[in-house]
Structures are given as structure tokens and as C-alpha cells.
Amino acid sequence: MKVDNLTFLKCLGKGSYGEVFLTTIDGKNGYYATKKMDRKYVDQPHVSKYLKNEISILKELNHKNIVKLEDVKITANHYYLVMDFCNGGSLSECLKKYMQRFGKPFSEEIVQYLMKQIVNAIQYIHGRHVIHRDLKLDNILVHFDSEVDKDNVNMMRAIIKIIDFGFATHIGKSNLVYTALGSPINMDPTILKKMTEKNSGMNAQKMIGYDQKADIWSLGTLCYEMIIGKSAFNCKSMEELVQKVESGNYAIPTHLS
């Protein structure tokens, strides 16, 4: 299939928003990943604002550990977002493959190597007064320059790229953000409290604000999950999650340095 200067080679995955295709661009070398989204879904107000937000923020960013938005095309029926192609899938998928292959989560050395890339990217966006607000292993893609490294899940040769900036927002140097967005299991306690109070109908949630530190909390949850092999706060209910997060109730195995 071809759209303008884009040639779609194969479907890489499907979601509620549409499909992702391995793509080439006329006159350019290499491969790209293109999100093809149905306008019947994307043009709905509650979806459109996040798509426009993601496009706007990604156009501002240029960092080796953040997915690059190469092009945006709009037709009568679809939106096409052309971005970097990462052949290793998500960091979550790589962790599962690694654990299946080696019977254990990432080593401290691997986690240090990966976290340095992630932290560099977050430092970059924070320096531009942007917070991500939905940092999780599923929102970090992995690329291997070598097929051998990919097949062997050689994470010390992995390049990571943060994706999914739909929930990201700008924040001033002295301002706070008040909207509760993100994935609860990785949420800063302040946002989690705001979300639970909102769901319970409490007016106090309007007064709870947060800043870039929310991303820092999520960095901690990512680090824990990679080195332990499971989430820091495994829970069966939102109430249990809130209790564990607010109390800092998580286990640190004795084998860690």
C-alpha cells in the first residue's frame, strides 16, 4: 500500500486507535514506523486533543532517546504519524523475553545502562519545561543495530526511545499541573491521590498540584520493575495501591547492591 511518498511494507501491530506499519519513504534510506489512525475515532474531541498535543510536543523535541516525528499526513479518512522504527519492541516486551531466556530480570549493570538513557531523555524534556506524565516500560521502545543482538536480547547494545507524548504537557518554572493522567501503577502519590479523590467525587482533588517530580517517581518505578522483574506495587485494587504507595510499602531483595 502506498500513500503519497510512503510505502507500507507490513503491519507491525494493531490497537484501538488503528494500525502501525513498517514504512519506507521515497528518497530516504532506512525504515520508519507509521501510525495509521481512523479519523472516525481520532476526530472525537476526547481523543483529538491528545493527538494534537502529542504532535505539537514531538515537533519541539530532538533527542536520540526520544522517538522522532518524521512527518504527519492527513487524508479524508486517516491520520498518518511517521516516526522512528525500533526493531526490538517495547522495553516491557524485552524484559519478558530476557526473563524467559535467562530466568532472571535485568542485571544491575543493564539497568544502569538503560536508566542512563531514560534519565537523559527526561532531563532533556524537563529542561524544555515538558513533563511526560505516563512513563512506563510499554512507552519505551528498544532498537538494536544488530539482528544478532536483537535475537540474543543483548540489552547492553540496546538504544531506547521514549514514546507516547499524548499526556505530556508544558509546565512553567514555578507552576503546578492539576490534571490526573497516566498509569496508576507508575503514578506519583500526589497524582494517584488526586485521581482517587476525583473518582470518589471529593472536591479537594482540585487543589492538588504536581510538577516534574511526578516523572522522577515514575523513573523509580521503572528502575524497580527492570531489576526485580515485577512492579513495585502489585495490587488487586485501587484502594490497595493507594495504601501501598502512600506508605512506601515495597520489598527490596537482599541480593541487590
Side-chain angles (χ1 to χ4, degrees), residues 170-188:
H170 289 92
I171 183 170
K173 292 182 179 180
S174 59
N175 295 336
L176 296 176
V177 176
Y178 292 88
T179 307
L181 293 170
S183 304
I185 199 70
N186 298 98
M187 270 187 181
D188 176 286

Side-chain angles (χ1 to χ4, degrees), residues 40-220:
K40 291 180 181 178
Y41 172 74
V42 176
D43 283 341
Q44 297 177 71
H46 70 284
V47 178
S48 177
K49 64 178 181 179
Y50 295 120
L51 175 62
K52 292 177 180 177
N53 183 64
E54 179 170 27
I55 292 172
S56 174
I57 288 180
L58 281 178
K59 284 182 175 180
E60 301 175 22
L61 305 178
N62 183 20
H63 190 278
K64 63 182 179 180
N65 298 123
I66 295 174
V67 69
K68 182 180 180 182
L69 181 63
E70 187 71 24
D71 197 5
V72 178
K73 295 186 183 297
I74 304 174
T75 65
N77 297 315
H78 297 96
Y79 284 85
Y80 298 90
L81 270 60
V82 187
M83 295 177 285
D84 291 334
F85 168 63
C86 295
N87 60 12
S90 71
L91 197 47
S92 176
E93 291 170 330
C94 283
L95 177 59
K96 291 176 183 177
K97 291 177 183 176
Y98 189 93
M99 292 178 68
Q100 289 171 354
R101 187 182 183 95
F102 300 104
K104 59 183 179 181
F106 297 150
S107 67
E108 292 186 29
E109 183 183 20
I110 290 174
V111 174
Q112 288 172 349
Y113 172 76
L114 297 174
M115 284 299 297
K116 182 177 181 180
Q117 295 182 63
I118 299 169
V119 169
N120 282 342
I122 297 306
Q123 182 181 37
Y124 170 83
I125 67 170
H126 285 182
R128 281 148 184 79
H129 311 300
V130 172
I131 52 178
H132 189 279
R133 297 200 291 181
D134 197 19
L135 288 173
K136 55 185 178 181
L137 297 186
D138 287 331
N139 284 342
I140 301 174
L141 297 185
V142 179
H143 184 75
F144 299 94
D145 288 332
S146 161
E147 284 296 318
V148 174
D149 287 333
K150 174 188 170 184
D151 293 341
N152 292 332
V153 203
N154 184 3
M155 299 307 296
M156 291 300 293
R157 302 286 293 177
I159 301 168
I160 69 93
K161 292 182 183 288
I162 297 175
I163 63 168
D164 204 341
F165 282 77
F167 287 170
T169 190
H170 289 92
I171 183 170
K173 292 182 179 180
S174 59
N175 295 336
L176 296 176
V177 176
Y178 292 88
T179 307
L181 293 170
S183 304
I185 199 70
N186 298 98
M187 270 187 181
D188 176 286
T190 305
I191 311 177
L192 190 63
K193 184 176 181 181
K194 177 180 175 63
M195 175 175 281
T196 54
E197 290 183 348
K198 179 180 180 179
N199 291 340
S200 65
M202 296 176 63
N203 293 325
Q205 61 91 19
K206 297 180 181 179
M207 303 303 295
I208 302 173
Y210 58 94
D211 58 14
Q212 290 95 333
K213 293 177 183 178
D215 282 347
I216 307 302
W217 173 274
S218 296
L219 289 175

Side-chain angles (χ1 to χ4, degrees), residues 13-27:
K14 297 182 180 182
S16 57
Y17 55 83
E19 301 168 296
V20 177
F21 289 89
L22 182 66
T23 308
T24 57
I25 302 177
D26 293 349

